[in-house]
């Protein structure tokens, strides 16, 4: 159940460094081609008030059913990117007290071809966040790969100020190796960082 309460009318003057609009109100990361790079562990403030809907197709709820992604039409959205320096997992959150009701989608590939790989409408209840924030947890990333994060608002009607924070957890020490996770091979570990980390958490050997 959604509750608007005028969250799209937030004052943005209080945002500190990392604000993603220019003095003229233009949104620098309005499209994938202008995606702003995220630094693990560093929150980045943004505001979608002056953003426009991206040309990319509206995402489906298929990968995150039941989380109220509800992208809708005419969704004001902004873009961020993250390039993994090593294999591991990432968590992404839009937790921002007083922020608007966000919906997020994570893509792999390049701006010209963006298959969605994860999404979330509403994260688990957290008293330190706005009532409806978004959270993706434990997504496996590969070294050298770039991922794109698209942030919009619930049902295309929510917009305003919030922040995005990405956290990175490296694959377990000694775990990465060549070979598929589901195929037996001589060396320990596997080439799939997420699977490898999960296995090593159960049995480090």
């Amino acid at each position: 159940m959604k509750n608007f309460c005028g969250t799209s009318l937030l004052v943005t003057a209080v945002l500190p460094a990392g604000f993603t609009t220019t003095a003229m109100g233009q949104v620098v990361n309005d499209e994938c081609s202008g995606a702003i790079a995220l630094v693990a562990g560093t929150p980045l403030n943004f505001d979608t008030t002056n953003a426009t809907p991206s040309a990319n197709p509206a995402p489906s709820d298929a990968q995150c059913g039941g989380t109220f992604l509800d992208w809708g039409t005419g969704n004001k959205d902004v873009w961020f990117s993250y390039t993994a320096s090593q294999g591991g997992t990432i968590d992404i959150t839009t937790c921002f007290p007083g922020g608007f009701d966000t919906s997020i989608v994570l893509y792999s590939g390049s701006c010209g071809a963006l298959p969605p790989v994860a999404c979330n409408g509403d994260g688990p209840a957290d008293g330190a966040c706005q009532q409806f924030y978004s959270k993706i947890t434990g997504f496996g990333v590969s070294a050298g790969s770039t991922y794109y994060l698209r942030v919009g608002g619930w049902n295309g009607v929510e917009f305003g100020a919030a922040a995005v924070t990405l956290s990175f957890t490296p694959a377990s020490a000694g775990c990465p190796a060549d070979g598929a996770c589901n195929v037996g091979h001589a060396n320990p570990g596997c080439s799939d960082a997420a699977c490898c980390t999960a296995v090593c958490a159960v049995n480090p050997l």
Side-chain angles (χ1 to χ4, degrees), residues 46-66:
F46 65 89
D47 192 305
T48 60
T49 302
N50 294 322
T52 60
S54 295
N56 303 73
S60 159
D61 290 21
Q63 289 179 308
C64 53

Side-chain angles (χ1 to χ4, degrees), residues 114-171:
L114 286 171
V117 292
C119 57
N120 183 260
D122 293 340
D126 187 332
C129 308
Q130 68 268 46
Q131 185 176 6
F132 301 116
Y133 73 105
S134 304
K135 188 172 187 178
I136 293 172
T137 58
F139 180 80
V141 296
S142 300
S145 295
T146 298
Y147 303 86
Y148 292 89
L149 179 69
R150 186 180 184 183
V151 183
W154 175 76
N155 209 25
V157 297
E158 285 281 314
F159 55 88
V164 58
T165 305
L166 181 147
S167 304
F168 173 75
T169 302

Side-chain angles (χ1 to χ4, degrees), residues 81-87 90 107-110 139-148 168 191:
S81 66
Y82 175 72
T83 301
S85 60
Q86 58 180 307
I90 57 173
Y107 300 87
S108 61
S110 62
F139 180 80
V141 296
S142 300
S145 295
T146 298
Y147 303 86
Y148 292 89
F168 173 75
S191 57

